[in-house]
């Protein structure tokens, strides 16, 4: 307690604490609490008063982290040792309440009312309850480093009569309490909490590791996108495991408690670098649910083949990861090469996906959350193939993944005729080249329709904030992708059938379109639909500056040689 209160009264990690002072607290504390800015001596005295009940009654408050214990057991640590290592003394309860920087600042009196209501909702200090209260204080010391007005609450986990405060499930209960207070005190309502769509936050330690490694994102964010792409492209659980291992992720199963038979979950990690291993670094494991609510194994299994043969194959792959041996199948779908001309097939699949989405009622939150998650998987697969570092495709995947975050009780029912968009994800993840651009433009056109449909579903459900976020995605990130795929008028002219003599004068816009259209019509390697897309794109860009290099390749109508697609070489696609 002393360490916490001294910190709250001190300068802060970035010297962000200004004028730290008490705005509310337990009545015993407030009766003699110092007024004005807290000093170091004040903090030490306050900590002693807050800790009085624990010291007098000798109450011990310990908490066991089941996640830490299970992870240690999975690493081979004896259960008794793992239990001891995962158990810690937690007699101090610390929580901060913060506003969005856009909300401005509140008065001390307003924060005092909010803090008192919050501690009542959390069961620490409820005058109407027969249970004894626990001592606490609320300290205000300026804005966060991000600019948000906030307070910190330091409380004892031991009540005035020596009994323990029930802090079970306090993370979830605190969110519920905040929702109550937002309505009660006319604050801005956090829509993600209101609709139970909150996504996993980034912890300071994760962000610090990314900064030290000069990485553009945290390891968890990168793994979430990789796992999502692999899950969406996979047709079976065994294929999913093989894809994860092919992406150089460490994978391990979580078995039913006390057994090594039924796999009920999984964890992934990135392998430590040689430097990290030299310094004693070990893999940091993340369960599917910690990556994203819709990436738990039960949720993913809703999308895969669950026949007896598929379950047997999955068990073999999980056992291989446990033993550190090679995959059991070396010629699965994930290794089949995909011809670039099948990008048009991916666009067709997304077109059918859009037709399917049109049949989902706007009130079916679970189905639309699933749709957002699967579409996010398509963008994640595209990003994995096209972006060496996270770009607009990765941002699109991240935005849509947030729309997939719903509670377990809202799980979408499995129906025999529902589509999955898995075929498009498979093609994008395994296509052999970035050409042809026309196919990608058609795919982007269909995905833009998908994004708008998801935004419309949010709006119809009353979630205007999420609708606006998804629509912003279409205007910014997808526009950036479209800019990279813009056609090239100058290159088209270089291969135009217009005679050399005619080129001694500048061609009119009509002549340019006519020449380009003739060239496109002569192609035999693309469908009529793609030809129309090419023509429309060229018509929109006649007279623009030369953009002859997109995605690192020339994009003339003859950029890729004519090729015949053979059905026997086409991988099995999930439609």
């Amino acid at each position: 307690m002393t360490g916490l209160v001294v910190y709250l009264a001190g300068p802060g990690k970035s010297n962000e604490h200004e004028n730290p002072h008490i705005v509310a607290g337990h009545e015993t504390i407030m009766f003699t609490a110092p007024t004005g800015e807290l000093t170091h001596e004040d903090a030490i005295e306050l900590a002693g008063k807050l800790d009085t009940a624990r010291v007098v009654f000798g109450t011990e408050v310990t908490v066991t982290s089941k996640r830490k214990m299970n992870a240690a057991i999975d690493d081979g640590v004896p259960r008794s040792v793992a239990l001891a290592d995962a158990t810690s003394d937690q007699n101090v309860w610390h929580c901060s309440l913060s506003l969005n920087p856009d909300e401005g600042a509140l008065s001390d009196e307003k924060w005092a009312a909010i803090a008192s209501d919050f501690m009542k909702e959390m069961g620490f200090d409820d005058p109407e309850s027969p249970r004894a209260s626990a001592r606490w204080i609320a300290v205000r010391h300026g804005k966060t480093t991000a600019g948000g007005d906030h307070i910190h609450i330091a409380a004892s986990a031991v009540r005035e009569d020596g009994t323990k405060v029930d802090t079970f499930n306090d993370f979830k209960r605190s969110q519920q309490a905040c929702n109550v207070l937002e309505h009660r005190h006319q604050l801005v309502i956090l829509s993600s909490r209101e609709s139970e769509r909150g996504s996993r936050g980034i912890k300071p330690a994760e962000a610090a590791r990314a900064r030290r490694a000069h990485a553009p994102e945290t390891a968890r964010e990168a793994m979430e996108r990789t796992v999502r792409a692999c899950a969406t492209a996979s047709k079976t659980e065994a294929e999913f495991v093989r894809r994860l291992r092919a992406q150089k992720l460490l994978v391990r199963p979580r078995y039913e408690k006390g057994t090594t038979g039924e796999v009920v979950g999984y964890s992934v990690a990135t392998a430590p670098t040689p430097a990290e291993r030299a310094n004693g670094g070990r893999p940091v494991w993340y369960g599917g649910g910690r990556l994203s609510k819709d990436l738990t194994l039960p949720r993913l299994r809703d999308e895969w083949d669950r026949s007896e043969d598929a379950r047997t194959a999955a068990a073999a792959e999980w056992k291989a990861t446990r033993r550190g041996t090679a995959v059991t199948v070396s010629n699965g779908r994930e290794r089949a090469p995909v011809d670039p001309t099948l990008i048009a097939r991916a666009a067709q699949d997304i077109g059918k996906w859009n037709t399917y989405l049109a049949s989902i009622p706007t009130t079916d939150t679970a189905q639309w959350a699933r749709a957002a998650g699967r579409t996010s998987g398509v963008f994640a697969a595209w990003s994995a193939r096209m972006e060496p570092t996270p770009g607009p495709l990765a941002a699109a995947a991240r935005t849509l993944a947030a729309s997939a975050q719903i509670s377990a009780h809202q799980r979408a029912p499995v129906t025999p005729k529902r589509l999955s968009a898995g075929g498009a994800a498979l093609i994008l993840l395994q296509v052999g080249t970035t050409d042809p651009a026309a196919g990608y433009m058609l795919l982007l056109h269909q995905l833009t329709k998908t994004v708008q449909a998801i935004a419309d579903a949010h709006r119809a459900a009353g979630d205007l904030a999420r609708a606006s976020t998804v629509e912003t995605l279409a205007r910014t990130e997808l526009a950036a992708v479209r800019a990279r795929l813009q056609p090239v008028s100058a290159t088209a002219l270089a291969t135009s059938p217009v005679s050399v003599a005619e080129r001694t004068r500048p061609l009119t816009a009509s002549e340019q379109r006519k020449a380009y259209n003739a060239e496109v019509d002569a192609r035999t390697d693309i469908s009529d639909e793609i030809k129309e897309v090419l023509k429309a794109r060229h018509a929109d860009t006649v007279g623009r500056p030369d953009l002859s290099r997109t995605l690192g390749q020339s994009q003339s109508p003859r950029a890729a040689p004519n090729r015949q697609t053979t059905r026997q070489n086409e991988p099995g696609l999930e439609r």
Side-chain angles (χ1 to χ4, degrees):
M1 183 67 77
T2 301
L4 172 61
V5 180
V6 167
Y7 167 74
L8 296 179
K13 294 181 179 179
S14 303
N15 293 317
E16 74 275 23
H17 295 177
E18 299 178 358
N19 185 28
H21 58 283
I22 297 177
V23 295
H26 183 267
E27 60 179 0
T28 302
I29 301 293
M30 295 302 292
F31 186 72
T32 58
T35 59
E37 185 170 349
L38 292 174
T39 65
H40 183 78
E41 292 72 21
D42 291 335
I44 294 176
E45 184 179 354
L46 280 169
K49 292 180 179 179
L50 290 169
D51 219 13
T52 299
R54 182 188 69 86
V55 174
V56 170
F57 290 98
T59 307
E60 293 186 0
V61 182
T62 58
V63 176
T64 299
S65 171
K66 292 185 178 180
R67 180 182 61 82
K68 184 177 180 180
M69 182 182 71
N70 291 334
I73 293 174
D74 288 343
D75 286 336
V77 177
R79 187 177 185 84
S80 59
V81 176
L83 175 62
D85 291 343
T87 301
S88 60
D89 180 16
Q90 291 192 14
N91 62 82
V92 178
W93 194 80
H94 174 214
C95 178
S96 63
L97 302 178
S98 179
L99 300 180
N100 187 291
D102 296 336
E103 294 184 63
L106 302 178
S107 65
D108 282 355
E109 292 74 20
K110 187 69 170 179
W111 273 123
I114 291 172
S116 298
D117 285 353
F118 181 75
M119 295 306 281
K120 178 180 178 180
E121 293 288 337
M122 294 301 295
F124 280 81
D125 190 0
D126 184 359
E128 300 175 3
S129 171
R131 303 202 65 178
S133 59
R135 296 187 179 188
W136 62 277
I137 57 171
V139 178
R140 186 182 186 189
H141 50 208
K143 298 181 179 180
T144 65
T145 53
D149 190 20
H150 71 295
I151 60 172
H152 285 264
I153 294 175
S156 172
V158 180
R159 299 182 184 276
E160 292 283 73
D161 60 358
T163 59
K164 300 177 185 178
V165 176
D166 181 13
T167 58
F168 176 74
N169 210 19
D170 56 344
F171 276 64
K172 183 174 181 179
R173 290 194 292 118
S174 66
Q175 294 298 323
Q176 294 170 342
C178 285
N179 182 254
V180 171
L181 298 184
E182 285 168 351
H183 286 277
R184 183 181 300 167
H185 294 278
Q186 291 79 50
L187 302 174
V188 174
I189 308 299
L190 187 61
S191 59
S192 60
R193 183 196 292 124
E194 186 92 340
S195 58
E196 297 186 321
R197 287 183 179 271
S199 56
R200 306 298 185 191
I202 300 299
K203 294 185 177 180
E206 295 176 292
R209 282 194 295 268
R211 286 194 298 270
R212 288 194 298 269
H214 303 289
E217 60 184 352
T218 65
R220 177 155 63 92
E221 290 173 306
M223 283 192 292
E224 186 270 336
R225 192 166 57 254
T226 299
V227 171
R228 188 177 296 281
C230 293
T232 306
S234 297
K235 194 173 184 179
T236 65
E237 189 172 329
E239 180 185 342
F240 169 67
V241 177
R242 293 194 298 269
R243 285 187 184 276
L244 292 180
R245 299 184 71 183
Q247 294 295 325
K248 308 302 181 185
L249 288 182
L250 303 179
V251 188
R252 68 183 182 191
R254 179 167 57 85
Y255 292 100
E256 184 71 44
K257 186 176 182 179
T259 74
T260 56
E262 177 67 19
V263 177
V264 295
Y266 70 96
S267 298
V268 293
T270 55
T273 64
E276 290 172 336
R277 285 196 296 269
N279 292 326
R282 303 183 65 183
V284 179
W285 293 91
Y286 293 89
R290 287 189 66 204
L291 295 177
S292 182
K293 293 179 183 177
D294 63 324
L295 293 182
T296 61
L297 194 56
R299 285 275 180 93
L300 296 180
R301 280 172 172 167
D302 286 347
E303 306 292 340
W304 297 329
D305 177 8
R306 295 296 294 157
S307 64
E308 185 63 32
D309 289 344
R311 289 198 297 270
T312 301
E317 295 295 354
W318 285 122
K319 187 176 294 185
T321 67
R322 193 77 176 134
R323 295 176 177 175
T325 56
V327 297
T328 63
V329 175
S330 59
N331 61 344
R333 283 193 344 147
E334 69 281 355
R335 300 214 175 183
V338 172
D339 192 283
T341 57
L342 286 180
I343 291 297
R345 170 73 174 275
Q348 293 172 7
D349 281 0
I350 298 300
K352 293 180 179 180
W353 177 242
N354 288 334
T355 302
Y356 167 72
L357 296 184
S359 67
I360 300 177
T362 56
T363 55
D364 195 337
T365 303
Q367 287 285 10
W368 279 106
R370 172 186 176 266
R374 300 298 289 182
T375 306
S376 173
V378 175
F379 277 109
W382 198 355
S383 173
R385 194 71 187 87
M386 302 283 286
E387 296 179 330
T389 58
L393 295 172
R398 182 167 53 251
T399 299
L400 291 174
S403 292
Q405 309 302 303
I406 58 174
S407 300
H409 70 273
Q410 293 178 297
R411 186 171 172 179
V414 180
T415 56
K417 294 184 179 181
R418 72 178 187 177
L419 299 184
S420 72
L426 181 147
I427 292 172
L428 289 169
L429 200 56
Q430 296 173 226
V431 68
T433 180
T434 58
D435 194 40
Y440 283 110
M441 278 297 289
L442 185 59
L443 175 63
L444 181 63
H445 176 67
Q446 294 291 358
L447 284 170
T448 301
K449 289 183 177 180
T450 307
V451 170
Q452 187 58 55
I454 293 171
D456 291 343
H458 279 302
R459 180 169 287 101
D463 192 351
L464 302 184
R466 279 303 311 165
S468 177
T469 299
V470 175
E471 287 178 332
T472 300
L473 156 68
R475 292 196 304 269
T476 56
E477 308 301 346
L478 299 192
V481 177
R482 188 175 297 107
R484 293 167 57 188
L485 295 170
Q486 285 299 320
V488 186
S489 58
T491 306
L493 291 177
T495 58
S496 168
V498 178
S499 66
V500 175
E502 287 178 307
R503 295 182 194 175
T504 58
R505 63 171 176 79
L507 297 180
T508 66
S510 177
E511 289 171 332
Q512 290 181 36
R513 287 194 294 269
K514 182 177 180 180
Y516 187 87
N517 291 350
E519 182 67 16
V520 171
D521 287 334
R523 292 182 61 173
T524 60
D525 61 321
I526 58 178
S527 67
D528 290 341
E529 189 175 16
I530 293 181
K531 289 179 181 180
E532 293 305 316
V533 172
L534 274 171
K535 294 175 186 178
R537 288 167 50 211
H538 180 260
D540 290 339
T541 56
V542 169
R544 290 183 180 179
D546 181 12
L547 301 174
S548 58
R549 304 294 290 181
T550 60
L551 294 177
Q553 302 213 13
S554 176
Q555 302 299 329
S556 72
R558 294 191 184 276
N562 290 349
R563 49 175 75 88
Q564 297 296 324
T565 303
T566 54
R567 299 297 294 181
Q568 60 267 30
N569 291 332
E570 180 179 336
L573 303 179
E574 182 184 5
R575 298 303 297 274

